[in-house]
């Protein structure tokens, strides 16, 4: 996916068709989870309930869903014959802070990009519109500060 | 049966993340970089996902009950409280720092980048801390 590298940050190609189709698969997964299991596909909800305390059943199902996510790049690589490209920061302190914030914030706010951003917006939930607006704004501001104020 | 369904749907979700490019933090960070190397692709991910879910949820909820469960479990809250602002604000800062939200972080796990191997345990620790804190306040 990454075409070439800028002096500071890798540029990425604009991929409207692949991104729309990939998004449609995400939406289809969410619809089928509701149809079959009656549950909303929120990744932070699924992942956080793999941790104690355990109050409800369904542990094996949630673990299987996460296992499917982990398997996806290998299946994609096997089907297309091309390895999946991901550019992950090697600044480990930054990634530690980012992980803590994402995990805490997702559970504290009752959802993440999938639960609020996709499923909640599709259900026209006012809470999810607020949450999505807040995390998008925080993300835009953070990248602006990191790349153009601190890093610029 | 339920385990196999969940495995297949996790895989489908993950393939969507990979095909859409959302599994690549560089693409996420460029989407968030309006003033720099802006890549609008992720708006199309959101558009495709919400469109399919919007239609599919409505068709699904015409049913009496799900295929393998006794009832639908849908969030019912409609109030806007402080947690709904603070949580997503912290989440968005972390998302902008690392370029990962929870789904893409799991699809990255097996590729073994050092940043991912730090991010995922930290994310799980953050999730655990938020649940523990919520329990104590309840």
């Amino acid at each position: 996916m990454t075409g070439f590298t800028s002096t500071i940050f890798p540029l990425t190609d604009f991929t409207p068709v692949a991104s729309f189709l990939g998004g449609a698969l995400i939406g289809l997964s969410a619809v089928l989870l509701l149809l079959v299991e009656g549950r909303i596909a929120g990744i932070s909800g699924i992942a956080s309930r793999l941790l104690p305390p355990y109050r409800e059943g369904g542990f094996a199902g949630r673990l299987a869903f996460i296992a499917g996510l982990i398997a996806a790049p290998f299946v994609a690589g096997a089907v297309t014959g091309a390895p999946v490209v991901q550019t992950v920061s090697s600044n480990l302190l930054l990634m530690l802070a980012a992980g803590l914030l994402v995990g805490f914030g997702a559970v504290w706010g009752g959802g993440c990009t999938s639960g609020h951003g996709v499923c909640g917006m599709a259900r026209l939930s006012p809470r999810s519109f607020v949450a999505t607006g807040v995390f998008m704004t925080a993300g835009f501001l953070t990248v602006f500060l990191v790349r153009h104020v601190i890093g610029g | 049966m339920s385990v196999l369904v969940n495995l297949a749907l996790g895989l489908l979700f993950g393939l969507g993340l990979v095909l859409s490019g959302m599994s690549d933090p560089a693409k996420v960070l460029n989407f968030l970089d309006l003033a720099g190397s802006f890549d609008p692709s992720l708006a199309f991910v959101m558009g495709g996902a919400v469109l399919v879910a919007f239609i599919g949820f409505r068709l699904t909820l015409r049913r009496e009950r799900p295929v393998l469960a006794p009832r639908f479990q849908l969030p019912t809250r409609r109030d806007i409280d402080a947690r709904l602002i603070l949580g997503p604000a912290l989440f968005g800062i972390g998302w902008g720092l690392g370029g990962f939200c929870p789904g893409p972080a799991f699809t990255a796990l097996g590729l073994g980048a050092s940043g991912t191997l730090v991010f995922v345990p930290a994310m799980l620790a953050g999730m655990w801390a938020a649940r523990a804190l919520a329990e104590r306040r309840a």
Side-chain angles (χ1 to χ4, degrees):
Chain A
M1 214 58 76
T2 307
F4 31 90
T5 304
S6 73
T7 48
I8 313 173
F9 304 109
L11 292 175
T12 49
D13 300 320
F14 177 47
T15 54
V17 176
S19 287
F20 184 84
L21 292 176
L25 293 185
I26 294 169
L28 182 63
S29 170
V31 170
L32 292 175
L33 191 68
L34 186 70
L35 174 67
V36 177
E37 300 275 356
R39 288 190 289 115
I40 288 293
I43 305 300
S44 55
I46 292 171
S48 65
R49 287 178 180 83
L50 291 177
L51 305 164
Y54 302 113
R55 198 158 293 137
E56 58 228 306
F59 182 89
R62 281 190 281 273
L63 191 63
F65 192 96
I66 298 294
L69 282 179
I70 295 173
F74 301 102
V75 173
V79 170
T80 63
V84 173
V85 174
Q86 293 180 339
T87 310
V88 184
S89 170
S90 52
N91 181 337
L92 300 185
L93 205 58
L94 177 103
M95 294 308 282
L96 177 73
L100 289 170
L101 286 165
V102 164
F104 186 93
V107 169
W108 200 248
C112 57
T113 344
S114 50
H116 277 313
V118 175
C119 297
M121 299 240 291
R123 294 175 54 241
L124 307 179
S125 154
R127 282 173 57 83
S128 293
F129 277 100
V130 170
T132 305
V134 171
F135 72 64
M136 297 284 294
T137 305
F140 285 129
L141 288 175
T142 301
V143 170
F144 183 78
L145 284 173
V146 168
R147 290 192 172 181
H148 303 289
V149 178
I150 301 169
Chain B
M1 180 64 185
S2 171
V3 168
L4 281 179
V5 169
N6 273 279
L7 181 69
L9 294 184
L11 181 62
L12 181 64
F13 198 107
L15 289 174
L17 288 172
V18 169
L19 174 63
S20 70
M22 193 150 185
S23 61
D24 183 0
K27 213 161 166 63
V28 173
L29 293 175
N30 283 341
F31 171 70
L32 293 173
D33 192 4
L34 294 174
S37 46
F38 181 54
D39 174 354
S41 302
L42 290 212
F44 289 77
V45 185
M46 187 70 100
V50 171
L51 181 69
V52 170
F54 180 82
I55 298 166
F57 282 0
R58 264 150 199 78
L59 295 175
T60 299
L61 291 173
R62 288 182 185 174
R63 294 173 54 92
E64 288 275 313
R65 44 170 289 190
V67 177
L68 289 182
R71 69 189 72 86
F72 289 108
Q73 298 174 44
L74 295 170
T76 52
R77 287 180 60 180
R78 297 180 68 83
D79 58 308
I80 310 295
D81 61 347
R83 280 181 61 169
L84 192 68
I85 308 297
L86 181 64
L90 296 175
F91 173 85
I93 294 169
W95 193 39
L97 289 177
F100 273 141
C101 51
F106 283 115
T107 66
L109 196 57
L111 303 179
S114 59
T116 310
L117 297 181
V118 170
F119 183 95
V120 170
M123 177 181 81
L124 293 172
M127 288 176 169
W128 176 82
R131 285 188 75 196
L133 190 59
E135 295 267 322
R136 284 181 52 173
R137 285 163 47 116

